[in-house]
Every structure is written in C-alpha cells, then in structure tokens.
Amino acid sequence: MSDDTSEQLKKFTFSSKYTYQGQIQEETLEVIIPELLQASYSFYTWPSAPVLAWFLWEHRKELSGLKILEIGSGTALPGIVAAKCGAKVTLSDSATLPKSLAHTKRCCQLNNLNVNQDIRVIGFTWGLFLNNLALIGPLDLILGSDCFYEPSVFEDILATISYLFESNPAAKFLCTYQERSSDWSIEHLLSKWNLKCQLHNINNLGQSAGVNIHDLIGDHSIHLLEISR
C-alpha cells in the first residue's frame, strides 16, 4: 500500500424496492471502500465506478454465477458489488503496481470477501497479457471503470479486450467512460480490433431507489459502453 496512512473509509449504499405478496420490500447492499486521497489514481474511487456499480446492482439477478473479470480494478467497487450479487469475480490491476494490488485486496477484506476463496485478485497488465490468460479462465463479462483515462492506453485496453474475446466470443465488456476531451475517441480502434460498441442510457440509473444520476456523476460527462465482438 501507499506510504500515506491517511486512509478514509467511504460507504456506498445500493438499494432497491419491490413488491412481494402485496408488501413493499427493500433490498440493500453496503460496500465500504478505503481511500488514500494523496496516493495514486488506483487508491481513489473515481465518479465512473459508482455508475457502473449501480448498473450492476440494478441487473444483479443476471449476475449470479457469471464469470467476471474487472480490469484496472483499483478500489474495485463494481467488482465487489458483482461478487456480492453472486458472480465469480476476478479483480485485476497492473502487475507492475503491487501496492495497488495490495490495496484492492484490502478493499475485498473490508467487505468480508476472502481473497482466493470468495474473490480473486491478480496482476494483469494491459497489452502484456499472454502469460496471464490461463489465470483468468473462461469469462462471461469484463468490467472496467474509467480505464480510458488518456489516449496512450486506449489501444492497449482494446487489444487486450479483443484478445480475451478470442477465447470468450460471447463475452461482453461493460465500461464507464468519463469524457475529458471531445477530441478523444476510440471509434477507429474499435474498427481496427473488430469490435462493436453500444451506448447504454444511464439517465434513469438509481431512480427506483430515489437516486439522482447527477448526484453520482456531479458535473462530469460519463458514458456507459458495452463492447462486444
């Protein structure tokens, strides 16, 4: 972990109301994320992560038993939510960042997920993935929040996703993307790597629980993409 010891715990609460036998029921999930605000990118929960986590929560009934890989996990909020909803989750971050991987493991432990039992954490570097594929195994879904943070990593990410799709042609890549410049685009890379992209509408995300999407994203422009073969 970082040498900075000023850890702050942030609580994320996901809820949903439904009617059962004429009675209104509420289902909730709380996730605790430790953050080190003065450390590197991977020790902080960026605005894209809660958006993806809420999308997973609202589709939680579809997650049970799915084999999921989260890339660039960092504090791993989406992956932890998926694991809590019954998915078989592998979290990953760059193999060159052992402190980030240690922090990801701490995030799991704070949420009562035993590493290597309830959830896995592995080193997995975009673009340098050939030796790690056996560690990942079959996949139904790949997750990523704010992985497209600068153009220099765009192709490494999509090349990695394309390679994973070779062994898992029915898998999908769900990712949230914070728009930082209107000049940045992955469209030409999607074509190069023979990938398709669908944009999900997130305007009503969390609405059934009384959550306003603008409270999640603030003044950021965030998109939810579904990339497939």
Side-chain angles (χ1 to χ4, degrees), residues 18-146:
Y18 60 95
T19 301
Y20 178 71
Q21 293 183 347
Q23 300 292 319
I24 296 178
Q25 308 288 329
E26 184 172 14
E27 190 173 357
T28 62
L29 171 66
E30 287 189 353
V31 177
I32 303 297
I33 296 296
E35 296 186 338
L36 298 172
L37 302 184
Q38 301 304 315
S40 65
Y41 297 132
S42 56
F43 294 82
Y44 176 75
T45 305
W46 295 88
S48 289
V51 174
L52 182 55
W54 263 102
F55 184 85
L56 293 169
W57 170 252
E58 292 194 345
H59 292 81
R60 62 193 178 279
K61 297 187 185 303
E62 304 164 30
L63 297 179
S64 183
L66 290 189
K67 299 176 181 68
I68 295 178
L69 169 70
E70 183 177 20
I71 65 170
S73 294
T75 59
L77 178 62
I80 288 173
V81 168
K84 288 289 189 177
C85 292
K88 299 175 181 178
V89 177
T90 297
L91 305 175
S92 70
D93 217 325
S94 175
T96 64
L97 300 173
K99 291 182 178 180
S100 294
L101 289 167
H103 191 71
T104 299
K105 291 178 181 178
R106 171 153 171 73
C107 293
C108 295
Q109 291 160 357
L110 279 182
N111 290 283
N112 300 313
L113 292 170
N114 294 317
V115 176
N116 296 327
Q117 295 180 21
D118 306 316
I119 198 165
R120 293 195 303 162
V121 179
I122 64 170
F124 186 67
T125 306
W126 306 330
L128 300 173
F129 43 82
L130 296 178
N131 293 331
N132 298 70
L133 196 59
L135 291 175
I136 296 170
L139 292 172
D140 300 301
L141 184 64
I142 305 166
L143 304 175
S145 67
D146 210 12

Side-chain angles (χ1 to χ4, degrees), residues 21 34 48 83 103 125 157 174 182 208 214:
Q21 293 183 347
S48 289
H103 191 71
T125 306
I157 294 170
L174 271 180
S182 58
S208 62
H214 297 291

